[in-house]
Amino acid sequence: MIGNVPLPRGAAHRRVWPRGLAGPLMVLPCVGLLLVFAYWPVVRSVVLSLYGNDLLGDPTRFTGLDQYSALFSDPDLRRALLTTVGIAGLSVLLSVGGALAAVLPLRRAARRPRAVVSVLLSLPFAYSAAASAAVFAGLFAPAVGTLNQMLAHLGVTGPEWLRSPEWAVLAVSLATAWYEFGFAFLVLLAAVSQLDQHVIEAAALDGASGLRLARSVIIPMLRPSLIFLLVTQTISGLQVFTQVQVLTRGGPAGSTSTLVFELYKRAFGEALPHVGTASALAVVLLLLVLLITAIQFRVLRRWA
């Protein structure tokens, strides 16, 4: 009892946490999950990259940086690096650019048509990477593919999409861009709906319209969302794997093999697993992603 006011039942037995301790205790489960599922695998990959392995993939003898030097002298890895950067760059350009081109006309559309078109254009976000890649496998099939049949009706002979090295890279890039398009479209659609209409109306009163209004007013107001998409989509593009696995399996002649596909092939796709080499490749990929992301932040900060 405090004065003449009785305490609630059980209040005397409640534990009072020391001030400043409640917050750390609340975030402890999240920190624990991050340590177990995010940071520990990175540390483990670094350790495994310094060791050779036996037939079961267990580490054996210490090799130091030998596996890293072997990777950088491997022509297949250099080609996979260029392929990865090319596919990532093209897919980001197509997905973010296509989403921006789709969102801008919808800004002034009527509510019901806008809702219908928005649902249709955001559908790629609902598909898994494997399902969307399987759809594009049907589109790009050389003899019975939907795309080549449409071209044949126009009197055009379609290319060997998945059998030609040049066209195969383009096919993988298109499949990746379509898969990433839905997310980019939803982000930009939400950003456009939050724009300050007073600024846009003032620019329209000053004579800005069409492409000039989009280029000088709307796109600069979308810079935070565009920067977010460019960074996240680039990170996703550098890790492309499913589209390569479903469409080409790294072919033809290794032309579509990416860094992640090379990692998978060396760790799981051979009779003798090269876990140390695959771990070294994973570390290289991590450093590459961090480097490109840092460069993007430095360049895009000036644009923002």
Side-chain angles (χ1 to χ4, degrees), residues 74-295:
D74 188 346
D76 291 338
L77 178 64
R78 292 198 294 269
R79 180 173 59 181
L81 174 61
L82 295 176
T83 302
T84 301
V85 174
I87 290 176
L90 185 56
S91 62
V92 169
L93 178 64
L94 293 175
S95 61
V96 178
L100 182 62
V103 161
L104 291 178
L106 289 177
R107 187 180 60 84
R108 300 182 63 87
R111 183 175 181 179
R112 183 168 296 179
R114 177 181 178 179
V116 173
V117 174
S118 298
V119 170
L120 293 176
L121 292 180
S122 61
L123 280 178
F125 187 60
Y127 284 84
S128 66
S132 64
V135 171
F136 274 88
L139 287 174
F140 292 133
V144 296
T146 306
L147 190 55
N148 278 359
Q149 288 187 352
M150 294 173 61
L151 292 175
H153 285 298
L154 299 175
V156 178
T157 301
E160 298 282 343
W161 290 100
L162 303 179
R163 296 178 182 175
S164 168
E166 296 79 10
W167 289 107
V169 172
L170 178 61
V172 172
S173 301
L174 289 174
T176 305
W178 186 85
Y179 173 68
E180 301 287 353
F181 172 85
F183 176 73
F185 175 78
L186 288 175
V187 170
L188 291 179
L189 183 65
V192 165
S193 64
Q194 299 298 319
L195 293 180
D196 190 345
Q197 297 301 317
H198 295 92
V199 176
I200 298 176
E201 291 172 1
L205 290 175
D206 289 337
S209 62
L211 291 177
R212 182 182 176 188
L213 178 65
R215 184 180 66 252
S216 303
V217 179
I218 297 178
I219 293 179
M221 295 171 70
L222 293 174
R223 282 176 183 173
S225 298
L226 289 173
I227 291 174
F228 167 76
L229 285 174
L230 289 174
V231 172
T232 56
Q233 301 286 68
T234 300
I235 294 173
S236 178
L238 291 172
Q239 301 176 72
V240 63
F241 167 77
T242 305
Q243 289 81 2
V244 175
Q245 173 73 358
V246 173
L247 292 174
T248 63
R249 294 187 179 273
S255 60
T256 60
S257 183
T258 60
L259 290 178
V260 177
F261 187 80
E262 285 290 329
L263 189 158
Y264 164 80
K265 187 170 65 174
R266 297 178 189 220
F268 307 107
E270 300 176 354
L272 175 62
H274 296 84
V275 177
T277 305
S279 299
L281 185 52
V283 175
V284 170
L285 178 61
L286 173 63
L287 295 177
L288 175 65
V289 170
L290 291 177
L291 175 63
I292 293 180
T293 303
I295 294 173

Side-chain angles (χ1 to χ4, degrees), residues 55-77:
L55 292 174
L56 299 178
D58 296 324
T60 53
R61 60 185 180 85
F62 182 77
T63 60
L65 300 178
D66 292 347
Q67 298 186 102
Y68 289 94
S69 61
L71 283 178
F72 288 112
S73 61
D74 188 346
D76 291 338
L77 178 64

